[in-house]
Amino acid sequence: MNERISVDVEMRQSWRYASGAAMERFCEGLRNKRIEALRCEGCGRRYLPPRPFCGNCHLHLSHWVPVAQEGVLEAWTVVCLPFLDGRTGTVRNGPYGMGLVRLDGADTTLNHYLAETDPSRLAVGLRVRAAWRDDLRGAIDDILHFEVMQ
Amino acid sequence: MRPAAIIGTGQTDHGRCRDDVSQPELIREAANRALADADISPADVDAVVLANMEMFEGRALPELWVGEGAFANRKPCLKVATGGTSGTSSCIAGFHQAASGLFDVVLVIGFEKHSEGHTQTGMALTDPFWDRGVASGALGNFALSISQYMAERGVTREQAARVAVKSRRNAAMNPHAHLKDANATIEDVMSSRVLAHPVRLMDMCPQSDGAAAIVIASAEHAAKLCSRPAWIKAAATRHEQPYIGDIDRRLLTMRTLRDAAQSVYARTGIREPLKQLDVAEIYEPVTYAELAWYEVLGFCAEGEAGRLIEDGITEMGGELPVNPSGGVLCANPVGATGVIRVAEAAAQILRRAGAHQIDGARTALATGYGVYAWADALILGSTP
Amino acid sequence: MMREESIRIPFRFAAGRAGSRMLAALRDDKQILGSHCPVCVRTLAPARPFCPECGGENLKTVELGSGAVLVSWTDMPGRGLFALVRPDGADTAMIHKLLGQSGDFHIGARLRAVFAAERRGHIADLQGFEPDPGSAA
């Protein structure tokens, strides 16, 4: 008996997550195209996206500072492989640009999409700017992607 | 703490799709081989440690299903999950259990069946407010970091390709490897399709089905059961701020791996790793990472990794052979991958590595890597 | 602030050697297979790759009866009746559905297996267990 039987299972899951106060304030800001970071009173590091604690100093973060909508591209790639989106399970096809962006006024970099998908037009150190969606909803995808500034 | 040693290892025949066996059967394959290699029976095992990524196969509590395959019935059984480091972390947990005096003989097993689920989606199920909306899996994460490595240290695509060629050539001597090709060329690597710039198919580790196991014994039992045990001289694990944007140039600095390595080097008197280590089995999920980690692990100065691979220093016949097994680039059942690193390093000390044995290996390094947020390092040696 | 998400992810699990044998027997012969462990002298339902008690792999595949005994059961409103049933010839119980109303069942009742008309090598090929009208129990 060498038959190999396999069983197909489709996992359907739904989740309901609490954001916490810091992420809530941050997302409310996005709804108004306002980007804010949380600064650690210990080491002075300005965290974006904001989170409740500094991983280095273990201090609670509560000091909000404004962040610009443009900054420096610190890392980039153009992904060509299709990807199953973790929020929906639907396929996101390539190519799409990804970058780590250090917005002016923040010390950490933000992981987000890039509008540019031509590798020859991307480089570490380029200036980039946030492009917003029309109907702002108070979520990460209020920023559609970052565009290379001319 | 008392000394403890690895007295046996076992691996499945890793592959793209092991449809011939269920998960418990896959684990049993590795467990049987490890027990046979250690020449002990299941009754001799006091405790079991399991490593697996859970969400990759979409089923919770894997130990509930696979424990029988691991001979865990009516024994203490612990599951360890630290991302890609799960395998090395489970080995360290087993080491602590034996070294602390808690148990005398511990069986450590890692496994993964990527063919049954969705690895990249499993990885993307992180922070639902930010990460999840912009996740692009391990591949996108690596590619981002590599752009920084290339820009700052001038490492080239050809140098990275040399790593892939070395791995496939070494893997051709390893019966357990998933991908092997003794005749792979730099051109093959550089002409394989782009997955995420600049990472090409042959630069990236595969997704494999497989399991790996080691048997760890306390000093007294190791001496009784094994004529030449692989002693675990030191082990260290380090965690890090997990958000991808938090650590500047993290592939270059990889401070978790650097700190873990420095910790085990300090405890074993290693000041010049390139000279004092005989072999290394490092967790290199992508060619560029192997180069970056030559620098992080102190095999060479910053910016010198390209020269190291070009000069053949890390080839089988070089001063410090790195990944004689073919490494992660040639077999990557994630939950097992870290166990494989430790098992391969141990096999070198045990003199049971077969065609990819490094003659006279007495001191070996094994490392684990988990999405930059975790790193493990172990030093194995031929004396306690 | 709360965020709600729902996701669908497809998986495909290999039944393996013992599992494939068992599912093929359900599909082809409407037959429930078990495994007999000669060391523990115990017959397991359904078939396994190794004995969960002694770990041994030298198990003998045996054909179990389509009759069974109800070991324990529960009524989950909206979801139906679930039970541990011990197939004839087995020493262990397996979990499955009960077909009928809760008034039809009691611990120790005789049951018989009900198979789907169209079978595809899946545990659902065995639809569940119903009261055995031919039994005095």
Side-chain angles (χ1 to χ4, degrees):
Chain A
M1 232 309 291
N2 293 319
E3 182 182 1
R4 297 175 181 182
I5 294 181
S6 60
V7 178
D8 294 312
V9 177
E10 184 177 79
M11 184 171 89
R12 291 165 180 260
Q13 280 284 344
S14 53
W15 290 292
R16 185 171 163 274
Y17 301 103
S19 65
M23 186 56 81
E24 179 168 359
R25 169 165 167 167
F26 179 69
C27 288
E28 279 303 315
L30 292 179
R31 202 194 293 273
N32 299 302
K33 296 192 184 178
R34 187 179 70 236
I35 305 175
E36 293 178 293
L38 269 170
R39 193 180 73 199
C40 174
E41 298 295 304
C43 62
R45 203 159 190 240
R46 294 163 296 181
Y47 283 97
L48 187 71
R51 75 284 314 262
F53 313 105
C54 173
N56 290 329
C57 308
H58 311 300
L59 292 177
H60 182 72
L61 305 180
S62 59
H63 191 91
W64 290 91
V65 293
V67 174
Q69 301 198 8
E70 57 182 75
V72 177
L73 185 62
E74 297 280 358
W76 65 273
T77 185
V78 176
V79 181
C80 304
L81 207 64
F83 184 75
L84 212 59
D85 192 294
R87 291 171 303 176
T88 57
T90 55
V91 175
R92 185 200 307 153
N93 283 306
Y96 56 94
M98 296 286 313
L100 291 178
V101 176
R102 191 187 313 277
L103 290 175
D104 299 342
D107 292 302
T108 62
T109 56
L110 203 56
N111 182 31
H112 217 301
Y113 299 109
L114 300 176
E116 183 60 68
T117 57
D118 179 352
S120 69
R121 292 185 185 165
L122 288 166
V124 171
L126 289 177
R127 295 286 299 174
V128 294
R129 180 169 47 209
W132 299 82
R133 62 185 298 144
D134 293 331
D135 53 327
L136 298 167
R137 297 181 298 192
I140 180 176
D141 23 21
D142 284 353
I143 299 173
L144 278 176
H145 48 235
F146 284 85
E147 295 171 345
V148 176
M149 294 167 69
Q150 299 306 316
Chain B
M1 296 274 277
R2 55 184 183 173
I6 298 166
I7 61 168
T9 72
Q11 295 184 48
T12 57
D13 300 322
H14 316 310
R16 188 187 65 79
C17 184
R18 287 292 310 272
D19 257 4
D20 57 317
V21 284
S22 65
Q23 292 180 26
E25 290 168 345
L26 183 76
I27 284 169
R28 178 56 72 89
E29 192 176 306
N32 276 342
R33 289 177 181 179
L35 295 184
D37 193 48
D39 196 20
I40 61 172
S41 74
D44 298 321
V45 174
D46 297 320
V48 177
V49 184
L50 285 174
N52 174 255
M53 296 290 279
E54 300 206 334
M55 278 308 292
F56 285 8
E57 289 97 357
R59 46 97 193 83
L61 308 176
E63 63 276 28
L64 200 61
W65 186 25
V66 306
E68 294 169 7
F71 299 108
N73 183 35
R74 294 199 291 183
K75 290 178 179 145
C77 179
L78 172 77
K79 175 184 65 189
V80 173
T82 57
T85 22
S86 296
T88 42
S89 297
S90 65
C91 292
I92 293 174
F95 165 56
H96 288 162
Q97 289 185 343
S100 66
L102 193 60
F103 302 117
D104 289 321
V105 178
V106 182
L107 177 65
V108 179
I109 308 181
F111 74 101
E112 210 72 56
K113 281 193 90 182
H114 287 282
S115 69
E116 300 192 338
H118 290 270
T119 305
Q120 299 308 318
T121 306
M123 293 215 34
L125 292 176
T126 56
D127 166 14
F129 292 91
W130 196 271
D131 269 359
R132 207 176 285 195
V134 293
S136 52
L139 177 63
N141 281 359
F142 289 133
L144 284 170
S145 304
I146 289 164
S147 72
Q148 295 175 312
Y149 184 39
M150 295 182 83
E152 184 168 328
R153 302 262 166 91
V155 65
T156 67
R157 292 180 181 184
E158 193 203 323
Q159 288 166 341
R162 285 176 186 271
V163 175
V165 170
K166 167 174 76 70
S167 290
R168 279 171 171 70
R169 193 189 303 135
N170 290 354
M173 293 180 284
N174 175 4
H176 304 292
H178 168 185
L179 301 173
K180 12 185 149 189
D181 184 357
N183 302 310
T185 65
I186 292 169
E187 292 69 35
D188 291 341
V189 182
M190 293 179 69
S191 62
S192 61
R193 74 188 162 97
V194 174
L195 302 180
H197 289 271
V199 179
R200 290 174 183 269
L201 181 66
M202 288 178 71
D203 283 311
M204 190 68 188
C205 60
Q207 297 179 359
S208 315
D209 286 1
I214 62 168
V215 178
I216 302 175
S218 62
E220 186 188 337
H221 283 72
K224 219 181 318 180
L225 294 165
C226 186
S227 61
R228 191 189 168 79
W231 296 94
I232 302 174
K233 313 272 288 181
T237 182
R238 290 290 183 277
H239 283 217
E240 177 62 284
Q241 289 174 285
Y243 179 64
I244 179 174
D246 280 0
I247 311 302
D248 273 346
R249 303 142 57 245
R250 55 188 191 162
L251 180 68
L252 289 77
T253 56
M254 190 65 192
R255 63 185 189 186
T256 47
L257 186 59
R258 182 197 61 202
D259 293 353
Q262 284 178 358
S263 169
V264 295
Y265 289 164
R267 282 183 279 152
T268 53
I270 292 177
R271 286 169 300 279
E272 295 176 278
L274 194 67
K275 288 204 175 84
Q276 290 175 269
L277 294 173
D278 298 317
V279 59
E281 276 287 340
I282 70 172
Y283 197 123
E284 83 320 357
V286 61
T287 51
Y288 295 86
E290 176 161 330
L291 295 175
W293 296 339
Y294 287 172
E295 301 172 12
V296 168
L297 292 167
F299 298 170
C300 62
E302 288 183 358
E304 292 293 309
R307 181 190 57 79
L308 217 62
I309 189 79
E310 282 175 352
D311 291 351
I313 308 290
T314 55
E315 297 277 354
M316 285 295 287
E319 184 172 1
L320 174 56
V322 174
N323 293 358
S325 67
V328 187
L329 289 173
C330 293
N332 184 38
V334 175
T337 300
V339 180
I340 295 172
R341 303 279 72 68
V342 177
E344 287 287 348
Q348 293 288 349
I349 305 293
L350 290 159
R351 306 273 157 90
R352 295 175 194 166
H356 59 287
Q357 175 73 47
I358 304 300
D359 287 341
R362 299 176 62 82
T363 306
L365 168 72
T367 70
Y369 158 92
V371 269
Y372 299 99
W374 299 284
D376 291 330
L378 299 94
I379 297 286
L380 308 184
S382 55
T383 55
Chain C
M1 185 181 81
M2 304 299 298
R3 183 178 175 92
E4 293 185 22
E5 292 190 343
S6 62
I7 189 171
R8 293 165 45 223
I9 311 178
F11 295 93
R12 184 179 149 279
F13 299 104
R17 298 187 185 111
S20 293
R21 254 198 314 272
M22 188 200 70
L23 294 175
L26 285 183
R27 179 193 62 200
D28 300 339
D29 308 317
K30 294 200 251 187
Q31 173 71 59
I32 303 171
L33 293 184
S35 297
H36 179 75
C37 175
V39 177
C40 301
V41 197
R42 191 166 76 136
T43 299
L44 305 150
R48 329 286 172 91
F50 22 74
C51 174
E53 184 63 19
C54 70
E57 291 169 38
N58 296 319
L59 305 184
K60 182 168 168 259
T61 300
V62 294
E63 297 183 346
L64 302 175
S66 58
V69 175
L70 181 56
V71 175
S72 68
W73 62 288
T74 181
D75 185 353
M76 301 173 76
R79 294 185 57 193
L81 278 57
F82 290 87
L84 280 170
V85 303
R86 187 169 60 242
D88 293 346
D91 296 306
T92 67
M94 50 191 269
I95 192 163
H96 218 297
K97 289 178 185 166
L98 290 182
L99 307 173
Q101 306 299 316
S102 37
D104 301 340
F105 300 102
H106 59 90
I107 288 175
R110 290 289 305 166
L111 307 171
R112 66 180 180 194
V114 178
F115 293 90
E118 290 194 11
R119 298 180 301 279
R120 54 195 176 99
H122 190 277
I123 190 66
D125 290 355
L126 173 60
Q127 288 182 316
F129 291 84
E130 63 179 10
D132 183 353
S135 160

